[in-house]
Amino acid sequence: MLQAATAWFSSSQISQNYTISTASTNAISSNSDVTPGTSPITPFTVGLWKVQEASHKTTQKKASIWTCDKRRVELDRLGPGGKEAALEALKAEISALRKLRHPCILEMVEPLEDTRSELIFATELVISSLGLAISSSGSPHEVELDEIEVQKGILQLTKGLAFLHQSARVVHSNLKLESVVLNSSGDWKICGLGHTIPFMSADGQPTQWEFPAYDNHLPAQIQRSFDYLAPEYVLDEQITPASDFYGLGCLIYAVHAKGEPPFRNRGNLSTIRSNMGRLEGGGGLQNMEGLDQDLRSLISALVTPKPATRLSAQTLPTHSYFSSLAISTLNFLDRSNFASKTREEKIAFMKGLNTVLARFSEGMKRRKILPSLLEEMKDPLLLSSILPNVFTISTNLDPSQFQSLVLPSLKPLFAIKDPPIVMMVLLENLEMLQSKTTKPAFRTDVLPLVYNALDSEHATVQERALLAVPALCETIDYAEVQGVLFPRVALVFTKTRILSVKVSTLNCFFSMVKTLDQSSLTQKLVPLLAKIRTKEPAVMMATLQVHEAMGLKVEREAVATLVLPQLWSMCVGPLLNVDQFGRFMQVIKVLGERIEREHTQYLRDSQRIEDKSAVAINGAAPVTSGSLDFQSLVGGNPIGASPASPNGRAPALSATGETPSWEDDVWGTILSDSQNSRATTPRAQSPALSPAYSKPNISARSVTSTLPSARALGAKPLHTGTLNTLPRPSSTPASPSPLSPPLPQNTRPPAISNASYLSASNPPTGGFSVNVMQPTSTTSSSSAKSWSTPQQQYNKPNYNISLSTPAGPSNTSSSQFQPWNPPVAALTSSFHQPQTNPKSFGMPPVQPQTPGLSMGLLAPSKPAAPAWGSGKSQKQNLSGLADFDPLL
């Protein structure tokens, strides 16, 4: 706790209000402490001061924090007296700096704070000292000092000295490399004011001269440098403004000599006298052969033994060394000078600036010229002249620098519509704006420029914006093109009456085709193009280009119904020439061939699918085209054979529409009694069970089935086609027929011979007879057989059966199909009765069969003796059959 309290009391207000950038914070965080686009400034030293970059915690304003640790080695070894003298010299320097305010003097933003452990104050952001900038190791912030930069700095120092001499009425008396620092804009600022000497004392008398004793026990940083000290002050005991210009001459020499002053006096007055004597004798300065003639002349005019022969603050700027076009440009652009110029002079200057920018270094353009140009963009009438220079300088900026330095000043200009030349200049540099910004920044900050240009009332601005749209469609995302850019271009297309703008919008549509989806093309773009009324060839050909691109992307139905009709309508335009018409026909043929090719393939695929899913007539198995049934695949059966039919025929269905089990084998029952059921007499079909129809459909392979109860009454067999035409009854189960005689339980009726079925290879020679078999169900609890429900009857498939040899006995456990054996007398009687009105029953007349020919008919078997033996019983059966069949 004591340590925390001590740290709190020893901390300064500046440390609490500012976030100081260190090596660790620069490596970890760069969001608020470091400006985007600029690398953090490495801490450096100026004399006994350590300079660090910092930012205010509230305003985020950048600053430099100057600190002097009272516990540093240079001060601790001085002893109590020497340490106190050194600290007083540092405090005097800060006190003088706090009193002086000038653009060429270092600006203080936080006053000095004297804590228990350090001296601390804050100034404007500085990036290096002049001594570090010209050293061989280079500046910590890589400051580029070319000749123009040095010329500008010398003029700034001249202005600062003029301020000290004329306004502050003091002499710096210690101007050297460590007394000049460079701020973030590259300006040279005067500091190190701890040894200033006023011209007049507090009582109004001239200031008394003090002997410049050099104490070797004190740090050299807090003493005057004898290498830059004027000879008149040391030898003649004079305090004049010319002394500072002698130091300025030595400083210029040191800048071009990589830090070496013209004389090395080493704090010795005798050495100063010796050097001045050689200078008065005409020996001049050494090592100046490699310097420019004007520079040598300038240094020689400043480093003189007599103050009267030196250049002054008024004469120095007029020297030939500062007569270059680049320096004149910088002087004209200086804030104090540029504000007094007229608008015409400013416009003329901005137009000519672009021709001399190549003479400046990138650092000079970025730190000095660019900020001045951005500051002058407040005047809309100057924008068209300033913006080309801004974009020229921005070419060599990286994206982070551009977004932090230039983009904030450009964003307000994107909404300015008058004068239109401003938007024209911005749109001409749209590609550079896109390359210098990130995708989110471009979409948020720069794209509004394009949208505002499309909404402009000036056709030149609209056309320039439309020329930029195709390139944008390649880079921005789909949602932006679909939802924002396309509607705005479409709005310009519908409103414009200018041919060039109309053609430009069509070119934009062409570039959007590969980005837009098919729905937008068919529902929005095609109707939009259909509204074109002009027949100008330029518009027609541009529209053809859009239709061609769409025709290769949208579905064939849209091409056939939407695109081609418009192309046919446009191709007969009266203003088209032969080549243009040929181009139309070429596109139409290409799209037509695409429709023909794709639709033909579509129809073939559809027919193939229909063939695979089609079901053969009369209940035949589906055409599988070689595909395997799952049950056949896993059961090992051959292709085309079912588990119940090794020869490939479909298995029989029960009354419920399901495949019967092996225990309910129908065919075994029928084939076992085939010897007892050969038919020799044709039978007429029962009209009671068969409603009228136009003509029965008799195929080569017929299906036979009979109703057992109806056969017991002497009914005729029904044709399958007739049965299929019966109206469907309700789903209510049918009750047993009262006309059906009861059969004893566990009694199997005789089977039907396979010879009773009509063979496809041996058709009947006279008439026809088709027997229809209807299933019955037997139960163990009742001796009477009941009718199958009508729904079950109609849902069962027909069977194509053609057997050549009788089958052996079959399983008698169950029989789903019972053959009906009517009495012979009844059948004969019904056969020989004349048919008075066959059409009323919907049946054609039945012809008798020629004796001796097998008709494949279901022959009735001999009735059982107990049920049909007596004539009375037969008569009753005939009577009951008369009610059932009107033909009897």
Side-chain angles (χ1 to χ4, degrees):
M1 181 180 294
L2 179 61
Q3 183 178 2
T6 303
W8 187 84
F9 281 110
S10 61
S11 64
S12 63
Q13 191 71 23
I14 295 176
S15 301
Q16 297 176 7
N17 294 337
Y18 285 83
T19 301
I20 300 177
S21 299
T22 60
S24 59
T25 57
N26 290 340
I28 297 174
S29 175
S30 61
N31 51 6
S32 60
D33 297 343
V34 180
T35 303
T38 59
S39 58
I41 300 174
T42 305
F44 58 96
T45 58
V46 178
L48 295 178
W49 298 99
K50 180 181 180 180
V51 184
Q52 296 173 283
E53 180 186 2
S55 60
H56 198 279
K57 294 181 179 179
T58 304
T59 62
Q60 301 299 321
K61 186 177 180 180
K62 296 293 182 179
S64 291
I65 305 298
W66 298 58
T67 57
C68 178
D69 191 357
K70 295 180 179 180
R71 296 166 294 186
R72 62 184 301 165
V73 178
E74 293 88 340
L75 297 179
D76 285 341
R77 67 186 179 185
L78 296 178
K83 182 175 182 179
E84 186 65 25
L87 293 177
E88 289 298 327
L90 294 176
K91 292 179 182 178
E93 177 183 350
I94 305 307
S95 178
L97 187 63
R98 179 177 59 86
K99 296 176 182 179
L100 301 175
R101 294 282 182 176
H102 188 268
C104 297
I105 305 294
L106 181 62
E107 180 183 358
M108 178 182 290
V109 296
E110 296 289 348
L112 176 68
E113 293 186 29
D114 188 0
T115 66
R116 299 175 62 180
S117 60
E118 63 183 2
L119 297 175
I120 183 171
F121 69 101
T123 66
E124 61 178 308
L125 182 63
V126 294
I127 59 176
S128 177
S129 67
L130 184 58
L132 292 174
I134 64 174
S135 64
S136 58
S137 59
S139 168
H141 203 60
E142 300 296 332
V143 178
E144 300 176 4
L145 291 180
D146 57 356
E147 194 62 27
I148 299 176
E149 185 97 11
V150 173
Q151 291 174 353
K152 177 188 68 70
I154 293 172
L155 293 176
Q156 289 176 335
L157 294 181
T158 302
K159 293 179 180 179
L161 292 177
F163 167 76
L164 292 177
H165 299 159
Q166 299 172 10
S167 300
R169 304 294 298 169
V170 296
V171 177
H172 191 282
S173 74
N174 194 30
L175 190 62
K176 55 184 179 180
L177 293 178
E178 288 75 14
S179 299
V180 179
V181 294
L182 282 68
N183 67 359
S184 57
S185 300
D187 296 329
W188 291 17
K189 298 295 185 83
I190 298 175
C191 63
L193 301 174
H195 297 281
T196 57
I197 303 174
F199 291 152
M200 306 293 293
S201 61
D203 56 1
Q205 298 297 323
T207 302
Q208 297 295 324
W209 175 81
E210 295 180 1
F211 180 76
Y214 186 84
D215 191 349
N216 292 325
H217 297 87
L218 294 177
Q221 295 89 341
I222 63 174
Q223 301 186 70
R224 290 186 177 94
S225 176
F226 278 32
D227 296 340
Y228 297 87
L229 196 58
E232 67 271 12
Y233 181 79
V234 177
L235 302 178
D236 300 336
E237 300 180 359
Q238 295 180 4
I239 303 175
T240 61
S243 301
D244 288 338
F245 284 95
Y246 176 89
L248 178 62
C250 295
L251 183 145
I252 296 172
Y253 181 95
V255 167
H256 290 86
K258 300 298 181 182
E260 287 292 327
F263 305 106
R264 282 292 185 180
N265 297 319
R266 297 180 177 82
N268 193 321
L269 294 179
S270 301
T271 306
I272 293 178
R273 290 190 182 96
S274 174
N275 290 331
M276 289 300 105
R278 187 178 71 252
L279 189 62
E280 290 178 352
L285 300 176
Q286 299 178 356
N287 302 325
M288 292 180 62
E289 294 79 9
L291 301 180
D292 183 74
Q293 179 63 35
D294 292 334
L295 179 59
R296 292 201 303 267
S297 173
L298 176 65
I299 295 175
S300 300
L302 291 174
V303 183
T304 60
K306 299 297 181 181
T309 60
R310 296 175 193 151
L311 297 175
S312 63
Q314 291 76 26
T315 59
L316 187 144
T318 62
H319 192 273
S320 60
Y321 176 69
F322 303 102
S323 62
S324 64
L325 181 61
I327 292 299
S328 301
T329 301
L330 293 177
N331 291 335
F332 191 94
L333 193 59
D334 187 80
R335 181 184 303 176
S336 59
N337 190 28
F338 194 77
S340 61
K341 303 298 180 180
T342 63
R343 179 172 294 167
E344 290 75 12
E345 291 175 335
K346 292 179 179 179
I347 293 175
F349 170 78
M350 291 299 174
K351 290 181 178 180
L353 177 62
N354 209 1
T355 60
V356 298
L357 284 177
R359 302 187 181 187
F360 298 97
S361 65
E362 295 300 327
M364 171 68 72
K365 290 187 289 187
R366 182 179 66 253
R367 293 191 303 266
K368 187 62 181 177
I369 300 178
L370 182 61
S372 300
L373 295 178
L374 296 178
E375 186 178 357
E376 295 297 329
M377 287 198 307
K378 298 176 183 179
D379 189 354
L381 299 179
L382 296 177
L383 289 176
S384 59
S385 303
I386 295 176
L387 287 175
N389 300 307
V390 172
F391 287 119
T392 301
I393 298 174
S394 301
T395 303
N396 295 321
L397 297 179
D398 57 56
S400 58
Q401 290 176 335
F402 180 84
Q403 289 186 228
S404 62
L405 300 177
V406 182
L407 187 59
S409 300
L410 294 180
K411 287 168 60 176
L413 307 182
F414 294 159
I416 297 179
K417 297 183 179 180
D418 289 314
I421 187 63
V422 176
M423 274 197 171
M424 293 290 293
V425 175
L426 292 173
L427 290 172
E428 288 174 358
N429 295 273
L430 183 62
E431 183 177 356
M432 195 202 71
L433 290 174
Q434 187 173 6
S435 64
K436 297 294 183 181
T437 55
T438 60
K439 287 186 177 181
F442 181 77
R443 183 177 63 254
T444 305
D445 300 331
V446 182
L447 273 183
L449 166 66
V450 180
Y451 302 149
N452 293 332
L454 292 176
D455 296 337
S456 175
E457 298 178 355
H458 304 280
T460 55
V461 176
Q462 287 183 336
E463 190 171 356
R464 188 62 188 83
L466 292 171
L467 292 177
V469 169
L472 292 177
C473 294
E474 300 289 339
T475 55
I476 61 179
D477 54 9
Y478 161 78
E480 190 73 23
V481 176
Q482 174 87 7
V484 184
L485 188 58
F486 174 70
R488 290 180 179 270
V489 175
L491 184 62
V492 176
F493 176 80
T494 56
K495 288 185 176 182
T496 186
R497 297 294 181 269
I498 301 175
L499 180 62
S500 60
V501 177
K502 181 77 73 173
V503 174
S504 298
T505 54
L506 291 171
N507 293 333
C508 293
F509 290 150
F510 172 73
S511 63
M512 293 180 184
V513 168
K514 54 186 174 182
T515 304
L516 299 176
D517 55 18
Q518 296 189 19
S519 176
S520 299
L521 293 176
T522 56
Q523 298 180 12
K524 297 179 181 179
L525 184 55
V526 172
L528 196 65
L529 299 179
K531 298 179 181 179
I532 298 178
R533 295 294 178 264
T534 179
K535 300 300 181 181
E536 288 291 334
V539 177
M540 293 293 99
M541 299 308 296
T543 309
L544 173 64
Q545 187 181 21
V546 179
H547 278 303
E548 182 181 11
M550 284 194 302
L552 299 177
K553 181 175 181 179
V554 299
E555 299 292 341
R556 65 181 184 282
E557 293 84 355
V559 178
T561 60
L562 299 176
V563 177
L564 283 180
Q566 292 191 24
L567 292 181
W568 279 113
S569 177
M570 289 189 297
C571 73
V572 294
L575 302 180
L576 298 178
N577 56 30
V578 176
D579 295 336
Q580 293 169 344
F581 175 74
R583 175 69 177 135
F584 267 93
M585 296 308 301
Q586 179 183 2
V587 174
I588 291 174
K589 291 178 182 178
V590 170
L591 298 181
E593 290 174 357
R594 181 204 167 190
I595 295 174
E596 179 182 2
R597 181 178 61 256
E598 294 183 3
H599 197 65
T600 301
Q601 184 64 34
Y602 167 77
L603 295 178
R604 290 175 179 172
D605 295 342
S606 301
Q607 185 64 36
R608 188 178 299 110
I609 294 174
E610 291 178 1
D611 293 342
K612 289 181 179 180
S613 60
V615 178
I617 302 176
N618 297 328
V623 179
T624 59
S625 300
S627 62
L628 292 179
D629 178 71
F630 177 77
Q631 186 174 358
S632 301
L633 179 65
V634 300
N637 295 322
I639 300 175
S642 64
S645 179
N647 59 359
R649 294 189 181 92
L653 299 180
S654 65
T656 60
E658 300 177 354
T659 304
S661 64
W662 291 106
E663 290 79 11
D664 299 331
D665 182 25
V666 177
W667 309 113
T669 305
I670 296 175
L671 299 177
S672 63
D673 297 332
S674 60
Q675 293 83 356
N676 302 324
S677 58
R678 185 175 302 273
T680 59
T681 307
R683 301 176 220 141
Q685 201 168 14
S686 175
L689 300 179
S690 178
Y693 65 100
S694 60
K695 183 178 181 180
N697 183 15
I698 304 174
S699 60
R701 300 179 62 183
S702 303
V703 180
T704 60
S705 179
T706 57
L707 298 173
S709 59
R711 289 193 58 176
L713 299 178
K716 282 68 178 177
L718 291 176
H719 190 267
T720 306
T722 306
L723 182 60
N724 291 337
T725 59
L726 289 175
R728 293 185 179 272
S730 63
S731 60
T732 306
S735 60
S737 172
L739 302 178
S740 301
L743 296 177
Q745 288 184 340
N746 302 326
T747 299
R748 184 185 62 179
I752 303 175
S753 173
N754 60 345
S756 62
Y757 295 90
L758 180 63
S759 174
S761 61
N762 299 313
T765 58
F768 69 93
S769 176
V770 182
N771 298 334
V772 180
M773 299 177 59
Q774 299 296 337
T776 60
S777 61
T778 60
T779 59
S780 59
S781 61
S782 174
S783 61
K785 296 179 181 287
S786 61
W787 290 83
S788 298
T789 61
Q791 186 67 29
Q792 294 171 344
Q793 295 175 11
Y794 296 128
N795 289 339
K796 285 194 294 293
N798 299 324
Y799 299 93
N800 296 329
I801 303 172
S802 177
L803 302 177
S804 60
T805 60
S810 61
N811 189 7
T812 59
S813 60
S814 175
S815 178
Q816 294 295 333
F817 293 91
Q818 301 293 338
W820 177 50
N821 301 321
V824 177
L827 181 61
T828 306
S829 175
S830 62
F831 181 80
H832 290 285
Q833 280 184 354
Q835 298 179 1
T836 58
N837 190 12
K839 293 183 180 181
S840 63
F841 299 99
M843 289 289 294
V846 181
Q847 301 295 333
Q849 180 181 3
T850 304
L853 296 178
S854 176
M855 297 298 294
L857 301 177
L858 183 62
S861 61
K862 184 178 181 179
W868 309 93
S870 63
K872 181 180 179 180
S873 175
Q874 185 174 356
K875 183 179 181 180
Q876 291 177 354
N877 291 334
L878 290 174
S879 176
L881 186 61
D883 295 335
F884 180 78
D885 193 344
L887 295 178
L888 298 178

